[in-house]
């Protein structure tokens, strides 16, 4: 009996010790996580990156991502051309992404694509470079930056009132200022972008020509401005879309944007756009939205469509997959049915979503 009591006591002490250790390590993990958030690092995967010392000078108004894999940009921070930023790390030895400290951003530590500027930093005592010559060599080796080496397109059509009301764009989008103030009313889908896509590259297919420049005719700008409202005020968003996406396909810049606008018009006039416009100012069920489209477009077409929401609740975008060699003259159903399947229709949206009306 005495031996039994001693053994029982020992087991209790052991169990108590284990519980204390678990609590201690959980506490330590919490402290580490809080520290990482404080300095702007939001994923333990950051430890897989390679530290660098030096600067990075922006040459394009590229987005600065909190996570380049998920393309998260919570406060819509973009680089400012010719501004020099402190470089902190690169994603790997054959780096495609560089981590910068961007004062004023929250969090301040962000990732940008290497083609968005010029590197002037050192790695393990050696100077890293992404000069044009090196870029050309790397592009030959890296099929995710090879022009016309894509297998499909993604057409991203924005519901501008939802984006402008709920995105933290820090006043950098004059079209949103005009929409939110009531100066401009938008009640149709607009163009975010027409993106050549390569399945094996995930979100990394782009920046195929570091020298790409946008030179649209005044007639083209006049035609596309109502469907890409940033062009009413500036060309910066169009320049970014052309540099990252447009330069990876073989249409010239005028034809590329005009083709994209024609596609958005087609989507806007389809059951997709009609359903959105019929429900402006209302909260709707995603499943009901999908059912309505399935009845009119068919299951195969709907399987190529994905919604995107701000904060999971406010509709901001509809993304449609198209085949690489789509025929602009085909109807929307034919264009969709030939494309690769998308991820789930609901995307990052919750079960119930709100379709904002223009203005606040």
């Amino acid at each position: 009996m005495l031996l039994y009591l001693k053994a029982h006591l020992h087991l209790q002490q052991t169990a108590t010790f284990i519980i204390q250790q678990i609590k201690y390590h959980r506490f330590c993990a919490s402290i580490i996580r809080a520290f990482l958030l404080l300095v702007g690092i939001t994923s333990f995967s950051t430890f897989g990156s390679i530290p660098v010392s030096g600067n990075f000078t922006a040459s394009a108004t590229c987005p600065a991502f909190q996570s380049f894999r998920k393309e998260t940009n919570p406060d819509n921070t973009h680089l400012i051309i010719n501004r020099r930023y402190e470089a902190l790390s690169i994603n790997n030895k054959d780096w495609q992404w560089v981590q910068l400290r961007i004062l004023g951003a929250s969090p301040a530590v962000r990732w940008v694509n290497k083609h968005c500027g010029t590197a002037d930093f050192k790695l393990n005592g050696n100077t890293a470079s992404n000069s044009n010559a090196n870029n050309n060599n790397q592009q030959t080796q890296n099929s995710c930056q090879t022009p016309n080496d894509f297998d499909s397109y993604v057409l991203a059509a924005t519901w501008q009132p939802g984006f402008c009301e709920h995105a933290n764009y820090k006043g950098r989008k004059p079209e949103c200022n005009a929409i939110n103030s009531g100066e401009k009313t938008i009640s149709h889908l607009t163009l975010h972008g027409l993106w050549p896509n390569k399945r094996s590259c995930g979100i990394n297919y782009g920046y195929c020509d570091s020298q790409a420049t946008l030179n649209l005719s005044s007639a083209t700008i006049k035609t596309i401005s109502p469907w890409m409202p940033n062009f009413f005020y500036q060309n910066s968003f169009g320049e970014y879309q052309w540099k990252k996406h447009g330069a990876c396909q073989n249409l010239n810049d005028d034809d590329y944007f005009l083709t994209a606008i024609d596609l958005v018009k087609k989507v806007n006039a389809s059951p997709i756009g009609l359903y959105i416009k019929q429900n402006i100012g209302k909260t709707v069920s995603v499943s009901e939205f999908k059912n309505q489209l399935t009845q009119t477009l068919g299951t195969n077409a709907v399987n190529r469509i994905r919604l995107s929401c701000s904060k999971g609740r406010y509709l901001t975008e509809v993304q449609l997959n198209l085949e690489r060699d789509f025929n602009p003259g085909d109807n929307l159903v034919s264009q969709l049915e030939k494309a690769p399947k998308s991820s789930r229709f609901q995307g990052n949206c919750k079960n119930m979503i709100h379709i904002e009306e223009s203005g606040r």
Side-chain angles (χ1 to χ4, degrees):
M1 183 67 178
L2 182 60
L3 290 174
Y4 170 78
L5 291 175
K6 286 183 177 180
H8 184 69
L9 179 61
H10 178 72
L11 287 173
Q12 283 185 322
Q13 291 173 338
T14 302
T16 300
F17 174 78
I18 292 172
I19 291 171
Q20 289 174 340
Q21 291 299 306
I22 292 173
K23 289 181 177 179
Y24 172 74
H25 285 95
R26 283 178 177 171
F27 172 76
C28 290
S30 299
I31 295 297
I32 293 171
R33 191 175 293 107
F35 170 75
L36 293 175
L37 290 172
L38 180 64
V39 299
I41 301 173
T42 59
S43 170
F44 285 101
S45 64
T46 303
F47 290 123
S49 59
I50 303 172
V52 297
S53 176
N55 301 294
F56 185 86
T57 303
S59 61
T61 56
C62 294
F65 295 122
Q66 186 177 1
S67 166
F68 61 81
R69 291 182 178 86
K70 298 180 180 179
E71 288 195 338
T72 51
N73 188 357
D75 55 0
N76 198 39
T77 293
H78 284 66
L79 297 182
I80 298 175
I81 294 177
N82 295 327
R83 178 167 294 185
R84 188 171 63 177
Y85 300 91
E86 178 189 359
L88 303 176
S89 64
I90 53 178
N91 62 312
N92 55 46
K93 63 184 180 65
D94 299 317
W95 64 291
Q96 179 65 33
W97 297 88
V98 55
Q99 190 182 56
L100 309 177
R101 189 182 306 281
I102 302 179
L103 299 179
S106 180
V109 175
R110 298 298 182 94
W111 291 95
V112 300
N113 193 283
K114 70 177 182 181
H115 295 291
C116 296
T118 303
D120 182 20
F121 49 73
K122 291 185 177 181
L123 166 66
N124 296 332
N126 298 318
T127 300
S129 173
N130 62 344
S131 65
N132 294 335
N134 285 342
N135 278 346
N136 291 334
N137 291 333
Q138 290 175 1
Q139 286 169 8
T140 301
Q141 300 170 3
N142 187 350
S143 64
C144 293
Q145 276 74 50
T146 301
N148 294 310
D149 189 26
F150 60 97
D151 47 45
S152 62
Y153 280 99
V154 174
L155 174 69
T158 297
W159 182 245
Q160 200 87 46
F163 172 80
C164 289
E165 183 157 341
H166 298 286
N168 186 6
Y169 60 91
K170 292 187 173 182
R172 293 174 182 162
K173 291 188 174 293
E175 70 276 19
C176 282
N177 293 338
I179 291 169
N180 289 337
S181 69
E183 174 189 333
K184 187 172 291 296
T185 299
I186 299 293
S187 56
H188 56 266
L189 290 166
T190 60
L191 176 66
H192 180 173
L194 178 61
W195 307 331
N197 183 63
K198 187 172 182 180
R199 186 177 296 273
S200 61
C201 296
I203 64 170
N204 291 328
Y205 183 73
Y207 296 106
C208 299
D209 181 2
S210 60
Q211 300 299 305
T213 56
L214 183 66
N215 186 28
L216 296 177
S217 70
S218 57
T220 296
I221 292 176
K222 183 178 179 180
T223 299
I224 67 178
S225 292
W227 298 93
M228 199 172 189
N230 183 260
F231 276 104
F232 279 125
Y233 306 94
Q234 56 188 219
N235 294 344
S236 59
F237 185 59
E239 288 171 349
Y240 164 65
Q241 289 294 318
W242 175 249
K243 188 176 182 70
K244 181 177 181 181
H245 301 290
C248 288
Q249 48 81 63
N250 58 9
L251 293 174
N252 64 41
D253 48 3
D254 284 286
D255 290 340
Y256 169 75
F257 278 100
L258 291 172
T259 299
I261 293 303
D262 285 343
L263 289 169
V264 171
K265 289 180 179 179
K266 189 176 293 186
V267 175
N268 188 64
S270 77
I272 301 169
L274 293 176
Y275 184 87
I276 292 172
K277 288 178 282 188
Q278 289 168 358
N279 290 281
I280 292 175
K282 299 178 183 178
T283 297
V284 300
S285 162
V286 169
S287 61
E288 173 62 20
F289 190 2
K290 182 178 181 180
N291 288 339
Q292 289 291 322
L293 296 186
T294 300
Q295 291 175 21
T296 53
L297 301 177
T299 300
N300 288 338
V302 173
N303 285 341
R304 275 75 180 170
I305 302 172
R306 178 180 181 273
L307 303 183
S308 182
C309 292
S310 176
K311 304 172 185 175
R313 294 182 295 164
Y314 305 102
L315 181 68
T316 57
E317 191 161 280
V318 181
Q319 296 182 357
L320 302 92
N321 288 357
L322 303 172
E323 66 171 342
R324 175 193 164 104
D325 298 316
F326 69 87
N327 183 351
D330 284 350
N331 62 51
L332 184 62
V333 171
S334 296
Q335 290 173 335
L336 288 169
E337 288 181 336
K338 298 173 184 177
K341 286 186 178 181
S342 180
S343 57
R344 63 176 191 157
F345 175 85
Q346 189 164 343
N348 68 341
C349 300
K350 296 181 179 179
N351 293 335
M352 302 295 293
I353 59 174
H354 189 72
I355 300 175
E356 290 288 2
E357 57 185 330
S358 191
R360 280 183 172 167

